[in-house]
Amino acid sequence: MKRTIRTTALTVGALMGVLGLPAGPAQAAATAPRVDLRVLLVSDGGPATDAIAAELDTAGTPFTKVDLTRSDRPAIDAGFLSDTVGGRPRARFQAVVLPNDNPFAAGSTEMAALAAYEQAYAIPQVDAYTYARPEAGLQYPAYGGSVDGVRAQVTAAGRSGPFGYLEGAVPFEDNSPSVGESYAYLAAPAPGADFTPYVEATVPGSSQQGSLVGEYRHDGRRELVVTFVYNQYQQQFRLLARGIVEWMTGGVHLGASRNYFAVHVDDVFAADDRWDTQLNCTPGDVDCADGAGTPSPIRMTPADVDHAVAWQSEHHFTLDLVYNGAGSVDQREDNDGVDQLADRLVADRNRFRWVNHTYTHAFLGCEQNTTVVPWTCRTGAGGGIEWVSRSTIDDEIATNRAWGQSAGLPLENDELVTGEHSGLKILPQQPADNPNLAPALADNGIGWLGSDNSRDPQQRQVGPATTVSRYPMNVFYNAGRTAEQVDEYNWIYTSRAQGGSGICEDNPATSTCLPAPLDTGTGYAGYIVPLETRIDLGHVLANDPKPHFIHQSNLAEDRIAYPVLDGVLDGYDALFAADTPLVNLRMKDIGTELRRRAAWKTAVDAGQVTAYRIGDTVTVQAPGGVAATATLPAGTTLGTTAFGSAYAGLVSGWTAASGTTRTFTLPSAAPAARPSGARRPATAPAPRTRTPAGVTERVPYVPDN
């Protein structure tokens, strides 16, 4: 079912009425005010306003932050909020975000200026986290306390309005029984108030519903009243963030947000070495001393390919297979020319996307000394690092590409992931890129290079290539069975006193030790899968297009990756409507998205972007060579061409990078109804609200390096 988002900005005719100006078509167009596409965010340093700021920043939506805790902050008065440009009245902000319904002292001239501004220009206000009280359109709280684990619901008004991209449920996280993570005030609308709840939860011990998010219309103003506290990482905020932004902007704003998920499967055609539960290392790999243990390879079978194909069809999702051709060549040499896995994968090659992972998965950074653990870089007589040669890197890239082409794999020849992301810097052993890497990338026309987000999170240039950071999933490359995964997990995440490695003790800033080792029979499904699902789904809901990566071993034997992938995909489908699908991009398209965002953010942060709306026309001015991004109502045109693509009831996308001025024409809309109802101006400051200690924190974790 198609859902639309209620228009929250007045049409030209209605706004002329507010300003006392004639509303005839010609005169309205000439005298319509200019409304700049920028949000005013007033912060008290709390997590709620910080969360909304992060949402705007990630989407690329310009905002001006006024920090109430700073003595040198600007005063919020009429001159700060509006002025005149070329004889036309200008509203400098299209929306106002406050930490609560009135964060100022009693009788504040700043609150009076904001109220007058909102009335004059029909500017909506978001109360990021406020106490339930009549001044906010609500009765005093029927309940004030923890809502950890509560399953809230979007109301019918919310689904037909700003939260129509959700299926209905808004589950609140409960990650720790010992930490209060969320706190809320639940209340019904005040008698006589024109208040519409958008998200509600049941008051404990009763059947009464209390509002968590709702719209209050009064005094010619509109407020989105939020009565629960949150931070930017919590799932409940991530689910509602899009609707908060679309409500305050009326679905007309710079920037865009979508939910992305891509999964790379590394080492396809090759075999991965297996974790040894007795030695606590991986024979055949560098974490075991030379000669320790006996390698035990994990490699997919044709049945695993059949399962992957069926799984993709069921979930309408495409995996990216990151392949090493030598794995198949070696298999055929050892088995009289037979490689049933390769035969099945090649037969089904068009069911997947494919990425070059080098021919033999060789390490392409420094020459490694693996006689010690951890390994070190070899050095020459003069003490300089010995590097893998340019010709070796060339051969690894080109030979694998040729093998893939001979097998008919549908390749993008400018994409590459090196084995272990090698060639790129790896701290602490290799503090710089292999100087031979960039020339070899140029030799082979590589434009997009995979990197490890846990080591190299920022997109950067390596010669002609732009990096695409990938999230390592905590499903280990050297585990084909759940018992192996749990055993290694225990080794990494328990203290020395409990039989672990103590890595978690040595790195408290990035890792948290388990209170006790996990049971090898139940720990995977009961602990690792839910935690990894939550982490990965958190990336999905954060407008983050970076891909995740696992290994072919995780699709073999116990197929341990699928419970996590199912958790992300099935969990997502249960939360979002059909018009808000997961976006599943290949690597070069992810790289392009990230590169465009970086250029746009640089321009926005430098004050080089100006955007405003006059009537049904939106004008965006940005530096030449910078693509602009916007979210606008369906039916918007850019010049004579339809703009963007549909997502969550609106359209969004990028403009061409050429030119400096882009002019959008919005579809005409019926005039919005004027606010009405009880008049309860917030003349007194909002009461102090409670923020649990845990709500300002993100649950720490360490990804698989």
Side-chain angles (χ1 to χ4, degrees):
M1 170 175 137
K2 182 178 180 182
R3 297 183 174 90
T4 57
I5 292 178
R6 182 193 301 181
T7 301
T8 61
L10 294 176
T11 59
V12 174
L15 189 50
M16 293 304 98
V18 173
L19 297 175
L21 299 172
Q27 204 159 13
T31 58
R34 162 177 159 169
V35 180
D36 284 3
L37 300 191
R38 175 174 285 270
V39 173
L40 172 61
L41 188 138
V42 180
S43 171
D44 62 355
T49 48
D50 284 352
I52 294 175
E55 173 70 12
L56 297 172
D57 187 58
T58 301
T61 303
F63 66 96
T64 295
K65 181 177 178 179
V66 175
D67 187 345
L68 295 178
T69 67
R70 293 178 60 101
S71 60
D72 60 346
R73 70 173 178 87
I76 301 173
D77 55 21
F80 178 80
L81 296 168
S82 62
D83 57 12
T84 301
V85 176
R88 187 186 299 273
R90 174 175 73 154
R92 298 182 64 198
F93 308 101
Q94 67 179 132
V96 173
V97 177
L98 299 182
N100 52 56
D101 64 282
N102 182 359
F104 303 98
S108 166
T109 57
E110 290 183 296
M111 191 67 229
L114 280 168
Y117 173 70
E118 293 169 10
Q119 290 169 335
Y121 290 97
I123 301 300
Q125 172 183 309
V126 174
D127 306 333
Y129 170 47
T130 198
Y131 186 73
R133 60 179 184 146
E135 290 87 343
L138 292 165
Q139 298 180 35
Y140 289 108
Y143 172 79
S146 172
V147 284
D148 293 1
V150 164
R151 192 172 181 85
Q153 291 289 328
V154 179
T155 66
R159 294 190 71 198
S160 63
F163 300 101
Y165 57 89
L166 295 173
E167 280 291 343
V170 182
F172 278 59
E173 292 183 353
D174 186 13
N175 301 318
S176 172
S178 62
V179 176
E181 299 160 38
S182 297
Y183 193 95
Y185 301 101
L186 299 177
D194 187 358
F195 190 100
T196 302
Y198 287 147
V199 182
E200 293 181 324
T202 302
V203 175
S206 76
S207 59
Q208 177 185 347
Q209 295 296 300
S211 178
L212 290 164
V213 183
E215 180 178 330
Y216 179 37
R217 296 167 292 277
H218 66 106
D219 299 323
R221 298 166 58 208
R222 298 168 59 248
E223 295 179 47
L224 191 71
V225 179
V226 183
T227 58
F228 73 94
V229 68
Y230 47 88
N231 68 41
Q232 63 178 297
Y233 303 107
Q234 290 178 308
Q235 179 175 275
Q236 55 266 32
F237 172 71
R238 294 258 46 95
L239 292 173
L240 298 172
R242 176 186 303 278
I244 292 171
V245 172
E246 304 310 351
W247 182 90
M248 74 165 95
T249 63
V252 177
H253 63 87
L254 297 181
S257 177
R258 298 195 175 196
N259 298 330
Y260 300 87
F261 192 47
V263 177
H264 292 188
V265 184
D266 288 7
D267 305 348
V268 172
F269 297 117
D272 289 293
D273 294 318
R274 190 185 307 273
W275 174 257
D276 189 305
T277 59
Q278 300 302 311
L279 295 173
N280 291 320
C281 65
T282 310
D285 210 338
V286 294
D287 65 329
C288 268
D290 280 357
T294 302
S296 175
I298 309 166
R299 191 172 190 255
M300 292 174 66
T301 67
D304 295 325
V305 178
D306 293 342
H307 185 86
V309 169
W311 180 87
Q312 287 191 149
S313 297
E314 178 184 353
H315 290 84
H316 308 289
F317 189 84
T318 301
L319 297 168
D320 294 84
L321 302 189
V322 188
Y323 75 97
N324 307 102
S328 177
V329 173
D330 292 344
Q331 179 73 12
R332 293 190 190 280
E333 288 179 353
D334 295 339
N335 292 275
D336 297 324
V338 175
D339 184 0
Q340 295 179 348
L341 170 63
D343 292 344
R344 185 63 55 85
L345 281 168
V346 170
D348 287 326
R349 59 189 176 274
N350 292 320
R351 303 291 190 96
F352 305 98
R353 293 190 292 248
W354 296 86
V355 181
N356 188 342
H357 196 31
T358 71
Y359 188 58
T360 69
H361 200 279
F363 190 83
L364 302 179
C366 63
E367 296 286 356
Q368 290 177 294
N369 174 15
T370 59
T371 63
V372 294
V373 178
W375 61 269
T376 60
C377 287
R378 296 185 185 278
T379 56
I385 293 176
E386 296 182 349
W387 299 102
V388 172
S389 69
R390 176 175 176 176
S391 62
T392 297
I393 301 173
D394 277 338
D395 287 345
E396 283 288 325
I397 299 170
T399 305
N400 203 51
R401 176 187 293 163
W403 187 93
Q405 291 171 334
S406 68
L409 303 183
L411 298 174
E412 294 287 345
N413 288 329
D414 55 352
E415 295 178 335
L416 177 70
V417 178
T418 57
E420 301 178 57
H421 306 98
S422 59
L424 297 172
K425 60 184 179 181
I426 301 175
L427 297 176
Q429 295 103 316
Q430 184 190 312
D433 297 342
N434 182 344
N436 297 317
L437 177 63
L441 298 177
D443 294 341
N444 290 276
I446 301 301
W448 304 102
L449 178 65
S451 63
D452 185 335
N453 190 76
S454 66
R455 301 193 306 237
D456 205 358
Q458 299 303 317
Q459 192 172 47
R460 61 188 181 93
Q461 288 299 121
V462 182
T466 305
T467 60
V468 179
S469 298
R470 309 188 305 159
Y471 285 113
M473 294 174 67
N474 246 353
V475 182
F476 302 139
Y477 81 98
N478 50 2
R481 304 290 187 191
T482 56
E484 297 160 358
Q485 166 78 17
V486 176
D487 185 86
E488 184 175 4
Y489 199 93
N490 284 338
W491 175 249
I492 296 171
Y493 293 108
T494 57
S495 65
R496 293 177 181 88
Q498 292 179 321
S501 63
I503 292 172
C504 58
E505 296 173 285
D506 299 339
N507 299 276
T510 57
S511 182
T512 301
C513 290
L514 293 167
L518 302 175
D519 183 278
T520 55
T522 61
Y524 187 63
Y527 182 88
I528 297 175
V529 169
L531 176 59
E532 186 60 28
T533 297
R534 178 165 59 84
I535 291 168
D536 299 338
L537 188 56
H539 299 154
V540 169
L541 302 184
N543 188 23
D544 189 344
K546 292 178 181 177
H548 296 72
F549 72 93
I550 55 175
H551 295 80
Q552 64 83 34
S553 52
N554 307 141
L555 304 186
E557 298 182 354
D558 286 352
R559 299 171 180 164
I560 63 176
Y562 289 110
V564 176
L565 301 182
D566 288 342
V568 173
L569 297 178
D570 294 344
Y572 184 89
D573 287 345
L575 294 170
F576 287 89
D579 67 353
T580 312
L582 275 176
V583 180
N584 176 220
L585 301 178
R586 72 172 303 132
M587 192 169 92
K588 67 184 303 179
D589 296 325
I590 294 170
T592 299
E593 173 72 17
L594 292 171
R595 188 162 65 185
R596 283 173 169 171
R597 289 189 189 188
W600 175 251
K601 178 175 173 56
T602 297
V604 168
D605 291 348
Q608 297 173 331
V609 173
T610 301
Y612 54 89
R613 176 179 180 176
I614 299 176
D616 290 333
T617 300
V618 170
T619 302
V620 180
Q621 296 171 328
V626 176
T629 178
T631 299
L632 301 166
T636 296
T637 57
L638 176 58
T640 59
T641 305
F643 169 72
S645 57
Y647 197 79
L650 298 169
V651 294
S652 55
W654 293 91
T655 68
S658 59
T660 59
T661 301
R662 292 83 163 176
T663 302
F664 302 85
T665 302
L666 307 179
S668 58
R674 286 300 303 146
S676 62
R679 297 175 177 267
R680 297 179 183 271
T683 56
R688 187 174 181 85
T689 49
R690 184 175 184 275
T691 301
V695 86
T696 60
E697 301 174 359
R698 184 178 188 181
V699 177
Y701 69 98
V702 171
D704 174 18
N705 291 330

